[in-house]
Amino acid sequence: MREKIIRDWFQAWIDADISAVRRTFTEDAVYTECYGSKSEHVHPYGI
C-alpha cells in the first residue's frame, strides 16, 4: 500500500496532476520540504 502511494505521488508529479495531492494528504497534514520549509494545517498547494 505505501509503495503504491509513493509511486502514484511521483507519477502525478511527472504528469502535473494536482489531484494526487488531494488523494495523498489529509487537510490536517504537516508537510515539510527537504530544505526545511514547513506547513501546518495549510495545504502545501493551497487546495
Side-chain angles (χ1 to χ4, degrees):
M1 173 81 170
R2 186 180 298 174
E3 184 176 331
K4 181 178 178 352
I5 292 169
I6 293 168
R7 286 180 183 276
D8 289 349
W9 172 256
F10 280 105
Q11 188 61 52
W13 184 76
I14 291 167
D15 296 340
D17 177 14
I18 197 70
S19 66
V21 175
R22 291 187 186 106
R23 292 190 308 268
T24 305
F25 295 102
T26 61
E27 290 194 19
D28 62 347
V30 175
Y31 182 85
T32 305
E33 293 281 350
C34 61
Y35 56 86
S37 177
K38 182 177 177 182
S39 300
E40 290 187 55
H41 308 293
V42 176
H43 204 286
Y45 296 98
I47 298 173

